[in-house]
Amino acid sequence: MELTGTVIKSTGSWYQILGADDKVIQGRIRGKLRLEDSDMSNPVAVGDKVVYELDLNYADTASIVTVLPRKNHIIRKSNKLSSKRQVIAANLDLAVMVASLVSPRTSLGFIDRFLVCCEAFHIPALLYFNKTDLLNENGMEVLAEIRGIYEKAGYDCMAGSALDSGSVAELRSRFEGKTIMETGHSGAGKSTLLNNLFPGANARVMAISEHHEKGKHTTTFAEMHLLPNNTRIIDTPGIRDFGVVDVPENEIGQYFPEFRKVSLSCKFNDCQHTNEPGCAVKEAVENGEISEERYYSYLSILRGEDVFQ
Ligand SMILES: Nc1nc2c(ncn2[C@@H]2O[C@H](COP(=O)(O)OP(=O)(O)OP(=O)(O)O)[C@@H](O)[C@H]2O)c(=O)[nH]1
Ligand SMILES: [Mg+2]
Ligand SMILES: [Zn+2]
C-alpha cells in the first residue's frame, strides 16, 4: 500500500518519515530514485513530501517510491571541489540565516550568497543577527551599519541573543504555523535559538572552539523539529559557504532586489553592471543609493568566487 508522509530527518542513507498517523518510520530510497538526479548528492531532502511503501517483513521501515513535486527547495554546491549539488531543504515558508558578527564572524559575502539563493528559489528570507550580547559599543555600531545595508536592500532583519528569551519572543510569533529552515555558520547559534524559541525542541548545542572561535559542527544532519501550533523548524548543520548554483551569470543581478528597478535605466538591456557605459547600477553605487558592499558581493559571485572563512 502506498502512503504519503514528510521527511523530517535525513542521515544520508536513512530518512525519517512522518506518516499520516503522526508515526515516524525509517525509510530508504529505492535504487531508481537514487539515479534520477545523479548530480544531486541527495535526491530526497528534509521537508520533502514523499510516497512510501511499508516493507513487508518489517513493522516500521519503508521504501521511498516518489518525491512529490516541491513547492520550493534550496540548493547549494556541496563543497568547493565537487560538482555535486545538495538540496538543503524543501517546501519552506521562510529561510532564516543565523548570523553572528563575532564567535564566529559571518561575512557579508556569505550572507549575500544565501540571499541570492533565496531569491533564485523564491524563498522569503530573514536575517537574524545573533550574539548581540557579545558586542561592545563599537560592535553594536558595526551591526547597525550592516543591518542598514540589508534593510535598505529590502530584507527583513532582526537582532538579539539566542540565550535571552525576551529577545526571541518576537521571533517566536513570526515563526508560528510556518515551516522554517535555519542556516548559518557552525557555532552561530542555530540550535540554541531553536531551543530557546521552543524549549521542547532539545537540539544539541556545544560551545565553540576557544582556539579558532569557530563552531564544532554539533548538528550533523538536517532535522525538522515538530513544534506547537504547526510550527516546523529545520535545524541544519553549519556550513562554511553557500555555493551559488543553478543561477546563470546573466541572471545574478536580478537576484539583488535593489538592482532590479535601477537596472531598467542601464543603457544596454543585457548590462552586467561591470564595465559597460551608461550603467545605472554603477551610478547608483557611486551616489550611495546601492551599497558598495552589496555591489562587491555581486561582482564576486559573478566571478564565480567562493567565500572562505
Ligand atoms: N553569548 C552568546 N552565546 C550564544 C548565543 N547563541 C548561541 N551561543 C553559544 O554558541 C555556541 C554554539 O551554539 P550552537 O547553537 O550549538 O550553534 P549552531 O549554529 O547550532 O552550530 P552547529 O550545530 O555546529 O552548526 C553555544 O555555546 C551557545 O551557547 C548568543 O546569542 N550569545
Ligand atoms: Mg546546531
Ligand atoms: Zn548596468
Side-chain angles (χ1 to χ4, degrees):
M1 193 175 57
E2 292 196 336
L3 302 159
T4 60
T6 305
V7 175
I8 60 170
K9 186 172 183 177
S10 124
T11 62
S13 46
W14 284 96
Y15 297 86
Q16 283 184 7
I17 306 167
L18 178 74
D21 53 0
D22 277 349
K23 213 179 120 187
V24 176
I25 43 173
Q26 308 293 323
R28 265 182 302 196
I29 299 183
R30 282 202 181 155
K32 190 168 143 275
L33 193 63
R34 194 180 285 279
L35 290 174
E36 264 170 20
D37 235 334
S38 58
D39 64 338
M40 289 287 173
S41 59
N42 59 330
V44 179
V46 171
D48 265 328
K49 304 258 185 293
V50 295
V51 176
Y52 62 93
E53 274 173 11
L54 289 174
D55 296 336
L56 284 179
N57 300 319
Y58 304 96
D60 53 4
T61 62
S63 296
I64 297 174
V65 185
T66 326
V67 179
L68 294 175
R70 291 169 175 155
K71 173 171 99 173
N72 59 36
H73 59 225
I74 188 156
I75 299 179
R76 66 186 270 267
K77 199 156 63 167
S78 315
N79 66 56
K80 191 172 156 48
L81 298 172
S82 152
S83 61
K84 290 242 181 203
R85 297 132 78 247
Q86 179 200 11
V87 185
I88 309 178
N91 301 316
L92 302 173
D93 295 316
L94 182 71
V96 179
M97 164 151 291
V98 179
S100 45
L101 299 188
V102 294
S103 308
R105 189 180 87 86
T106 304
S107 69
L108 301 195
F110 180 66
I111 297 176
D112 291 325
R113 280 162 176 77
F114 160 74
L115 292 173
V116 165
C117 287
C118 290
E119 293 286 337
F121 296 113
H122 306 288
I123 298 167
L126 169 75
L127 300 177
Y128 181 76
F129 294 99
N130 192 27
K131 304 202 181 188
T132 53
D133 56 298
L134 298 181
L135 300 177
N136 58 18
E137 205 177 312
N138 188 28
M140 287 305 276
E141 274 170 29
V142 173
L143 169 66
E145 226 170 90
I146 292 175
R147 209 177 149 158
I149 292 174
Y150 290 102
E151 282 175 345
K152 202 165 116 192
Y155 287 106
D156 242 349
C157 297
M158 288 177 73
S161 165
L163 299 175
D164 162 24
S165 337
S167 98
V168 301
E170 193 186 337
L171 215 48
R172 188 179 295 124
S173 63
R174 293 275 297 265
F175 283 7
E176 212 162 71
K178 297 198 172 94
T179 298
I180 291 142
M181 176 194 71
E182 287 187 347
T183 184
H185 288 318
S186 177
K190 300 176 291 298
S191 302
T192 306
L193 182 64
L194 166 66
N195 287 340
N196 207 347
L197 284 168
F198 299 96
N202 263 326
R204 219 163 83 86
V205 162
M206 212 156 71
I208 62 162
S209 142
E210 280 175 25
H211 293 298
H212 308 99
E213 294 266 291
K214 284 182 187 165
K216 292 177 179 160
H217 295 279
T218 308
T219 306
T220 43
F221 298 107
E223 179 172 4
M224 181 189 278
H225 294 260
L226 308 167
L227 304 159
N229 301 326
N230 214 20
T231 308
R232 297 174 164 197
I233 298 185
I234 303 172
D235 189 13
T236 64
I239 51 177
R240 289 185 60 193
D241 191 12
F242 225 101
V244 175
V245 284
D246 293 350
V247 181
E249 240 177 51
N250 61 351
E251 282 178 19
I252 296 170
Q254 294 169 28
Y255 301 128
F256 281 73
E258 73 272 43
F259 289 18
R260 272 184 226 139
K261 198 162 151 236
V262 173
S263 66
L264 296 175
S265 309
C266 290
K267 186 169 167 197
F268 301 106
N269 51 26
D270 62 347
C271 186
Q272 292 222 357
H273 325 307
T274 52
N275 298 309
E276 297 89 341
C279 171
V281 169
K282 267 183 15 186
E283 211 172 281
V285 175
E286 271 151 35
N287 67 29
E289 223 177 293
I290 287 177
S291 97
E292 276 181 12
E293 289 84 354
R294 292 272 293 163
Y295 180 64
Y296 291 142
S297 278
Y298 166 72
L299 294 180
S300 165
I301 296 170
L302 200 63
R303 286 194 295 263
E305 291 170 358
D306 290 303
V307 180
F308 295 100
Q309 224 208 331

